[in-house]
Structures are given as structure tokens and as C-alpha cells.
Amino acid sequence: MALNTQAPQTASPSINEEPKGLILIVDDTPHNLQILSTALTKQGYQVRGAANGSMALIGARNIMPDLILLDIKMPEMDGYTVCEKLKAEAETQEIPVIFISALDDALDKVKAFDVGGVDYITKPFQLAEILARVDNQLTIGRLQKAQRLQNEQLQKEIRNRIAAETQIQALNADLEQRVIQRTERLNQEIAQREQAQKLLKYMAMHDPLTDLPNRTLFLNHLEEALQQLQQTPDHSFSLLFLDCDRFKAINDALGHLVGDQFLVAIGQRLQTCVGDQMLARLGGDEFTILLQNTPNKTVATSVAETIQQSLLRPFDINGNEFFISASIGIVISHSSYKQPADMLRDADTAMYRAKALGKARHVVFNTSMHEDVQNSLQLETDLRRAIDRQEFILNYQPIVALDTGLIRGFEALVRWISPDLGFVSPGQFIPLAEDTGLIIPLGEWVLREACRQLRTWQTENLTDIPLTMSVNLSVKQFSQPNLIETIDQILAETQLSAHCLKLEITESAIMENSESAAKILDQLRARHIHLSIDDFGTGYSSLSYLNRFPVNTLKVDRSFVSRLDSDEPNIAIVQAIVTLAQTMGMDVVAEGIETTEQQLQLKSLGCEYGQGYLFCKPVNAEAASEILTRKNHSFG
Ligand code: C2E
Ligand code: MG
Ligand code: MG
């Protein structure tokens, strides 16, 4: 039993006309099928027929009609059941069903609508009614379909829009995220840059070793303090300029590493003394302190005393104990100071005065020091000119053997005869020459002149005794890298034998240059040049270097000799020096012998040589020549 799709029942619309719709007619009465089919075909519909419920279900699924005319009363499966099944399937549930039935009962109609029918036609039917209702339903269906399509389109558009919006939102969120990340990165970079700038600024203002403020920062603060002083004249402050005593010797002896550790420890010690007042490291072993609110100088000097007291305690560096003292210059604020550099300069001057007065003390600046500085500046200018104008001469003081009174040699002592200042003592100008470096050309001249003079005496055959010439060498000269070269050159020039030359250096020259000293002294020994330690007993009195260095002579300082007559302990000291020299194979020369008692005393203590006014004051070359021409030229 197949779906009836034969031509007689399904007359097609003319070729030109578009079919109005596909209609499935379900009726178990062939006659009804025929009538309906013909009528609908004529109207331009495409028609398919089904004679029972099962065929209707199959036909509906296969051909998907636009409308179904469904008879209710059929054997096996009635129209309601067919309709229910059609509505239960997704594919077919949208197909409109018009029931056709002979039953003219309101309840049936209700049931027909209940199971999903859209209309109801009662048999015997009027064809016109059927056509009208079919047409009506198809129109409704088309409208609904169009509506559905429209809705679908709308929904699609909405979905698209929502999708687009979601995408935009996602893009926005991504963009925002990126902006946040970029801002964070930028902020980070800015923070890093700021941090770096801060660090650079800090480094520019602080000393890397001690982490204390440096000169620049200190001068800035000093400038601020001076400005405040201009605005509020009641404001008062002080500047302390501190320089460690003999720090160079520590550095040279122990090396820069220990020297640096020592400076750090000194900085910390000073900080505890001054609390939150400003402490800076100016450079090297120099520190400065800015004390606020110091209405009188007592406040500043008591801080200086506290510092000096605290420095008396030993410093522990790597388990070793070290000691240091400091010289402090103090300046009290005054409205006449306009520039920080001026105040610093005066504190420096006061500090130098503290050094000159014997170190390890403090001195408050006063204006007379300024004059002293100016005088010394004038003296420096004069001294410079004196070297150019050759205003120096040498005096010679005989060194004699204490037992025979015979001359063994001379000590050359420089004299400045200034046309403006008259006689200027070496005690006055030698320290200045050392400070200014003028000692280098002056010392070279002295050495050359002394060697030349001795060589002259030798060639004139004034004596048959092998004389020596002692020449003083300052600390500065001793640290000159070309010292040996200069000596070689002078000896070559003057033709003097090296063993006739004795160089006098002080203990500090060795101690302050201990690194280079050993090398220089070895080179001197290789040339048979003698070496004397001048003013022995007044300096470091560290005997350890005597072991290490090739020293020939100890010169006992005049301060011991002058007190020999009265002072018991002095005798013991001189005795000790003589014994020390003898055990180490060195000579002893006593300086500044003025009395016969001193001479006898020294002789009895075993001292072999001496010099002093008792025998002869330092005399010029002419007078020295006369002494040499004297018969046996002794001072017995
Ligand atoms: P110095 O090397 O210890 O020289 C000895 C000083 O003692 C000399 O003083 C000398 O005149 C003095 N003197 C000698 N015998 C007596 C005495 O019996 N009684 C007294 N009261 N004094 C005596 P001067 O010539 O004034 O020299 C002082 C210091 O200046 C020297 O001490 C030396 O350190 C330094 N000096 C002198 N000439 C030179 C030089 O050419 N180069 C260097 N670098 N320093 C020199
Ligand atoms: Mg001397
Ligand atoms: Mg001396």
C-alpha cells in the first residue's frame, strides 16, 4: 500500500505557474480523496494522497507537505493519533493539520485542536470552504514561516552582535590589560630610574669608603648654615677640621688595606662623639664636623676634647691594636664669613697650628693666624726667589773623635742670607721648604755643593786624614723616586768617592717611607755611601728598623747631651744608645757638645765622636779650610 501520488489524483499546476503549496490528503475513502485532490490541483496546489494513518506518517516525513488534510475516522489509526504522532516528531511538528470529519461534535473539535490541529472542516464539505480554509492556513503558514525566518534572522543578527560585542569586550579587556601591564612596566622603569638617580646623587655626595658625607655635601651644608646666619644673626655654629697625626706612616707601614679599615673605624668613633651633628670625610685622613648651636667656643672645644679623649682608646683592626691621635682646628661662625671655603680655610689653618704646636691637640682659629699664614706665604715667595738668586751658602761643622780631638769630617748646614730678611735660620725655612717641595732643588744644591767642597779640599791636599762629609736629607727628598740617580750624578760630576759621603736622615724618613726605604738604603749600601740616623731618640724610637736597615751611625740628639751633667736617667739613655750601637756595629756621634764635662762624660760612656760649639760652631768654607790647614787640625 503506497502513498498515492498518481497523476489523476495529483494533477500538477501548469508549467508557468509556481505551485501554491504541497498538500497531503489523508482519507480512507477513495472518493473523498479523489474529489479533494482534483479540486486542489485545479487551484494550483500540488497534491499527494494517503489512504490510512501509517501511510500518512511515512508520506509526511518523506515529502514534508505544506499542509495536511486529515480525516479523523479511519481504521487502525485515527486522525487524532496521526496528528499526535506528527506533532511528537521534530521534523513534522510544524506542518499544519486541518481535520476533516463527519463528526460534528464540539468535543471532537476541541480534541482536534488539543492534539495540534489548526482547523476543522465538517463533512460533507463544501469545496469552496476547504479551498478557503486551506488557502487561509497556507497563508498563515507562510506568514509564520516568514515570521520565523525573520525571527531567526533577527536572532542571528543579535547573536552576531552579541558575539561582536563579546569580542569587542574581550579586545577591550585585553587592551586594558595591556595598558595596565605597560603602565606597570613604565612605573617600574620610572621607579628604577628614580632609584638609580637617587643612588648616583648619593654617591656624588658621599665618601665610598666610610659612607660619610663628602666634601661637596659638607660644603653645601656649610653654605646653608652661613645663609641662615645672614638671616638670623643669633644663629651660631662651629666648624671642626680634624687631621689624623702621622697617618701616612701607618698607611706606609701597614698597607692601604689596613689604612682604609682604620679610617672607617676612626669615622665611626668620631660619629659616636658628635651624635647627629654633621660629620664628613674631606679626603685622606681629614674629617670635618659642623656643630650647630655653639654660642661660645667652649661648646666646640669641649667636643674637640671629647674626640681627643675617645681617640686615646686603642682601635682593634683585624685583632690588632692601633693608636692614633688627631690635630683639630676650630672656627666659630661669624657674620664676616661669606663663603664656606673661607671658613674651611681658617679651620685648616688652625688645624696646622695644632700640628705645629706638637699635634694631638686642638686650636681655635684667630685672625692673627691669618697674618702668620700670610707671612709664611711671603716667606715662601722669598724662598722661591732665593733659590733662583742663589742666596744660600753652606756652613761646615767639624765632627771630631772625642779621644784625640782630631777632625773626622764635617756636617754641611745650609744658611740663607736674604738681602731683605737678613739671616734666616734653617729651623724657620727648612720646614717651609719641605712643605712646599722647594727642599728638592735646595737639597740637591746642598748635596752638590758639599760634595764639591770636600773634593776641593781633597785635591788641595789640605789633609791626609780621610774626611767624610755629612749631608742632611729631608723626608721629602728621601721619598723622591730619582734620589739615587741624583746622587750618582752628583758624585760623578764632583768626582767624590761615594764612601766619603754620609747621608743624615731622621727616623721618620724611614718610618714614613718604609716600603721604599729598604730599596733606597740597599742601593746606598751598594755604593758604600754611609747612613746616619739624625736626632736619634727623639722620633719613633722604634728600634726594629735598625735590624732591617744598613745604618752606620747613630747621632745622639742634643737634648740628651745638654742634660748629661745633671740628669741621671739621661746618662742611662745615652749609655743604652752607645751599647746598642756597639752591639750592632754602628758608630755614635753626640750632637751639641758645649762643655768639657759633657765631652768627658760621653767619652766615658764609650761614645767615639761628637760635634758641638765646644769644638767649633758651623763655619763657612773659608774658615773650615783654615781649620784644615792648622797643624794636625785637632780640637784637643
Ligand atoms: P741637625 O742636622 O741636627 O744639625 C745640627 C744642628 O745643631 C745645627 O743647627 C747646628 O748648628 C746645631 N748645633 C751644633 N752644635 C751645637 C751646639 O753645641 N749647641 C747648639 N745649641 N746647637 C748646636 P742648624 O744649622 O740651625 O740646623 C738645624 C737643623 O736644620 C738641622 O739639624 C737639620 O735638621 C736642618 N738642616 C740644616 N741644614 C740642612 C740642609 O742642608 N738640608 C736639610 N734637609 N736640613 C738641614
Ligand atoms: Mg744633621
Ligand atoms: Mg741633629
Side-chain angles (χ1 to χ4, degrees), residues 504 534-535 555 557 591:
E504 295 193 1
D534 207 352
D535 309 337
K555 292 190 81 171
D557 191 66
E591 294 185 292

Side-chain angles (χ1 to χ4, degrees), residues 243-460:
D243 187 284
C244 300
D245 298 326
R246 299 192 185 88
F247 193 79
K248 190 177 178 303
I250 291 167
N251 238 357
D252 289 348
L254 306 169
H256 284 266
L257 211 65
V258 176
D260 282 356
Q261 287 175 303
F262 202 175
L263 281 171
V264 172
I266 292 169
Q268 288 165 348
R269 181 82 57 93
L270 293 177
Q271 193 75 72
T272 57
C273 294
V274 301
D276 55 3
Q277 303 274 25
M278 192 192 203
L279 166 71
R281 180 178 173 222
L282 225 54
D285 58 352
E286 292 174 345
F287 295 86
T288 43
I289 297 154
L290 188 63
L291 289 180
Q292 298 288 354
N293 298 321
T294 52
N296 52 54
K297 70 176 184 185
T298 323
V299 183
T301 52
S302 76
V303 171
E305 268 154 30
T306 309
I307 290 173
Q308 257 137 5
Q309 281 298 316
S310 105
L311 291 182
L312 291 177
R313 279 187 288 119
F315 284 85
D316 182 338
I317 313 286
N318 301 332
N320 297 312
E321 274 195 351
F322 294 100
F323 290 88
I324 192 92
S325 65
S327 303
I328 304 174
I330 302 171
V331 181
I332 314 293
S333 62
H334 192 274
S335 57
S336 62
Y337 284 117
K338 299 283 182 273
Q339 297 295 329
D342 295 344
M343 204 165 162
L344 197 65
R345 176 205 60 209
D346 287 351
D348 186 46
T349 303
M351 185 275 290
Y352 267 105
R353 177 57 60 91
K355 289 241 182 230
L357 291 173
K359 304 190 170 100
R361 66 194 66 216
H362 58 266
V363 166
V364 180
F365 178 80
N366 64 50
T367 39
S368 74
M369 286 179 201
H370 211 62
E371 285 158 24
D372 293 350
V373 170
Q374 247 137 24
N375 288 343
S376 105
L377 276 178
Q378 183 58 47
L379 195 64
E380 185 187 330
T381 315
D382 292 343
L383 189 60
R384 251 174 232 285
R385 207 174 301 138
I387 290 172
D388 291 342
R389 293 184 186 169
Q390 299 189 343
E391 292 170 4
F392 299 96
I393 60 154
L394 284 189
N395 272 3
Y396 301 93
Q397 185 175 37
I399 295 171
V400 302
L402 292 183
D403 52 355
T404 60
L406 279 174
I407 296 183
R408 311 305 306 193
F410 289 95
E411 176 174 3
L413 294 159
V414 71
R415 298 289 176 258
W416 178 14
I417 323 272
S418 159
D420 306 323
L421 305 168
F423 176 85
V424 188
S425 86
Q428 237 181 311
F429 71 83
I430 293 286
L432 185 64
E434 288 191 350
D435 280 354
T436 54
L438 289 170
I439 194 72
I440 305 296
L442 179 61
E444 195 178 321
W445 176 82
V446 169
L447 186 62
R448 181 173 285 110
E449 182 58 19
C451 291
R452 194 198 56 75
Q453 185 60 64
L454 180 57
R455 184 67 197 138
T456 307
W457 286 329
Q458 286 173 347
T459 49
E460 284 173 355

Side-chain angles (χ1 to χ4, degrees), residues 207-219:
D207 164 48
L209 178 67
T210 58
D211 206 31
L212 288 172
N214 64 10
R215 172 186 284 266
T216 314
L217 187 55
F218 185 80
L219 287 176

Side-chain angles (χ1 to χ4, degrees), residues 1-15:
M1 223 268 340
L3 187 67
N4 187 352
T5 56
Q6 296 307 301
Q9 298 140 346
T10 58
S12 300
S14 72
I15 287 171

Side-chain angles (χ1 to χ4, degrees), residues 594-606:
E594 293 183 349
T595 64
T596 319
E597 287 74 27
Q598 289 166 353
Q599 179 191 7
L600 294 173
Q601 181 76 275
L602 286 160
K603 217 160 78 174
S604 73
L605 290 171

Side-chain angles (χ1 to χ4, degrees), residues 6 34 63 134 147 161 267 300 322 338 340 350 409 443 446 462 478 480 495 511 536 557 613:
Q6 296 307 301
Q34 186 66 46
I63 64 170
V134 165
Q147 185 71 44
R161 199 170 303 162
F322 294 100
K338 299 283 182 273
V446 169
L462 291 182
F478 196 68
Q480 276 299 98
Q495 302 280 301
M511 296 308 284
F536 189 76
D557 191 66
Y613 296 171

